[in-house]
Amino acid sequence: MTGVQTCALPISMPDGREAITVRVAGSLAEVDAAGWDACAGTESPFVRHAFLSALEDSGSATAETGWAAQHLVIEDEAGGYLAVAPMYLKNHSYGEYVFDWGWAEAYERAGGRYYPKLICAVPCTPTKGPRLMVRPGTSTDQTEHLQATLASAMVQVAERMKVSSVHINFPNEAEWKLMGDVGYLQRQGQQFHWENQGYETFDDFLTQLSSRKRKNIKKERARVKEMPLDIQALRGAEITEAHWHPFYGFYCNTTDRKWGESYLTREFFSLIGERCGDDVVLIYGVAEGTPVCGALNLVGSDTLYGRNWGSAANFKFLHFEVCYYRAIDFAIEHGLSRVEAGAQGPHKIQRGYLPSPTYSAHWIADPGLRDAIARFLDDERQGIEHEMTINTRHSPFRQDNDAN
């Protein structure tokens, strides 16, 4: 699959304002890194130029792997960046974590052609964050206008390319609401996040749990402590190729077992180590001199994001220790507000990670398919909200009448 070449499109606005020219860039190499990052901000490390370019330059997210870059850039008269959005032309739905396989199958059974499609997202990364990114210091009214322009540009690019749909995955809530206002269908999902309530130590966190849950976690951590393991949190320059090479093997072990295919290349991990600096945290375990496990995390302005995990040995409770408890330790030590430990996993609830909504927005070209998906999303949203309510009732945190 090949993408369109870099071009500039005058985007007509539905509110009657003067058309704005939006540039479509065929790769991050064609985008000024400083200008992009000025719009991306510091909230999420995944939308910064360093991370996104590592995906492209490593061969992890390219036209050859089904992620043909179509990034959007709005510039002022002097060439400064006003707003940007990461976007890709896709011929499959792998690596998205907002599942539309059923939509594609139904549409193609009815004689339609679902692929290719456009997606605004971070490849292979199910974390919430900004997607319609506007340079800080812009007024609220102008920010919303530029975000609406980006959302409208995605639709107009889709119409010109004659693709089936546009999907904006894992935006923040404010963007999601704006997308609904400009005509996108809204979808909701859930993940499980840990919130820091001002804890100074892990034990402070444990005191807020019911007695039984507190004892279970202590037991799990004690079992790992008895193992012949040295587990450390390495950050930035502390992580070398001597760590990345074994970690890539751990990552492949997990992906091969769960999905049968590894999205990220070996070079990707080296590149984020070089480019993302102290944003990268690797929880790394060694047994008697041999690396046995690792969990890759990235740090945002107030959040630790858990991304990839794997191991070369089957130690009981090791996954919980390395991915969940050590992440909490790191967040407490560094004063971070939360830990987002990735997609799926109701088992995280008993370890202090509670349900949190995630969002996506969808523009569908075919009116019949759009209507069918809209009905499906109404039902699904009610189901998700009910499931989140049920999951919250299983919270491990102490109730007022739990004195233990």
Side-chain angles (χ1 to χ4, degrees), residues 103 106-108 110-114 155 158-159 162-167 183 185 362-375:
W103 304 355
Y107 193 46
E108 292 176 1
R113 182 165 156 264
Y114 194 76
V155 171
E159 290 174 336
K162 295 181 170 54
V163 300
S164 70
S165 51
V166 179
H167 308 266
L185 301 178
H362 310 268
W363 176 85
I364 310 297
D366 186 292
L369 180 62
R370 176 186 174 87
D371 289 345
I373 290 175
R375 292 191 298 272

Side-chain angles (χ1 to χ4, degrees), residues 323-334:
C323 293
Y324 306 148
Y325 304 145
R326 292 298 177 113
I328 291 174
D329 283 336
F330 185 93
I332 291 173
E333 180 182 353
H334 293 85

